[in-house]
Amino acid sequence: MAVLEGCCCDEHHHAANCIICGKPIIYLKNEQLMECAVCHKVKPANAACVDGHFVCDECHSSGSDEILGFLRKSREDDPIKLFLDVCSLDAVHLHGPEHHSIVPCVLLTAYKNCGGEIDFGKAMDTAWRRGQDVPGGACGFLGVCGAASGAGIFESILVGASPLTPLEWEYPQRMTAQVLNKLVEVGGPRCCKRTGRLAIETASEFLREKHGFCMPFSRPKCTFSGKNKECLKGRCPFFEP
């Protein structure tokens, strides 16, 4: 499968499915080199749309200025409301690797707005960069959902963990594990909104249990289910018919 020559579709932007043409995404049996339909660089690909458009993770997550700018200005202290507000921005697609950075950045913003002390600007830049190291499709290809990794990134920044910090090393692992357990309880396939919300809820509970820090969250019904063909419907805790 290759990108169509002479295609001018990359002038368009679709929030769901292929961001170039809006057609369904298919996952490839074997990773192959493909040309990104946006930046035109040749990169390893594990998914493309039915018309052959491949968009690399970097281009899929190119809305960092809009997302981080919104979060830096926000005074919202409910991390779920904050997450849903971010997910409504034009820069955020229905699914995609940008969520791997959005989860820790939302948690950091809500933590700061709830009175938590942190070098906010530096932490946000670090969280976004680390989240982008988690590739698209990580839930299926690596066995670690990017939302869970995002929660672990948040905890790592919060406690100052590194590969050599004895106690601090443990905390991000535990948070990530708790999020993964919650995600598996609900089941798949992927939904970046569902996993993001579950990760944020679990991370907020972890903060209260392990750090004694209260970051309350709401549970509004999902407004994305009609756009998601893989929606779990009644199996999802956020679905309301």
Side-chain angles (χ1 to χ4, degrees), residues 17-39:
N17 296 319
C18 175
I19 69 172
I20 302 299
C21 65
K23 293 184 179 180
I25 297 292
I26 58 174
Y27 286 93
L28 311 177
K29 291 183 178 179
N30 298 301
E31 187 176 87
Q32 57 185 271
L33 291 176
M34 297 183 69
E35 179 185 328
C36 175
V38 179
C39 68

Side-chain angles (χ1 to χ4, degrees), residues 27-140:
Y27 286 93
L28 311 177
K29 291 183 178 179
N30 298 301
E31 187 176 87
Q32 57 185 271
L33 291 176
M34 297 183 69
E35 179 185 328
C36 175
V38 179
C39 68
H40 302 292
K41 295 178 181 178
V42 176
K43 299 182 179 182
N46 51 40
C49 83
V50 294
D51 275 356
H53 297 122
F54 158 66
V55 178
C56 69
D57 284 357
E58 184 177 356
C59 289
H60 211 289
S61 304
S62 61
S64 60
D65 288 345
E66 180 182 359
I67 296 166
L68 291 176
F70 175 85
L71 287 172
R72 288 188 173 113
K73 294 177 182 177
S74 176
R75 296 295 177 265
E76 178 60 65
D77 58 6
D78 180 332
I80 295 298
K81 287 183 179 179
L82 193 57
F83 176 71
L84 295 177
D85 285 344
V86 170
C87 287
S88 297
L89 298 175
D90 289 339
V92 183
H93 308 94
L94 183 64
H95 305 294
E98 61 267 32
H99 294 82
H100 306 169
S101 294
I102 289 172
V103 167
C105 287
V106 162
L107 286 165
L108 285 167
T109 303
Y111 178 79
K112 185 262 295 183
N113 290 344
C114 284
E117 296 184 4
I118 196 168
D119 186 340
F120 183 60
K122 182 178 179 181
M124 291 286 279
D125 290 339
T126 299
W128 187 270
R129 184 179 67 253
R130 290 184 184 179
Q132 292 306 286
D133 287 337
V134 183
C139 53

Side-chain angles (χ1 to χ4, degrees), residues 163-179:
L164 298 179
T165 50
L167 179 60
E168 292 83 358
W169 179 92
E170 174 185 330
Y171 277 88
Q173 318 293 328
R174 288 191 178 277
M175 178 176 282
T176 302
Q178 287 189 20
V179 173

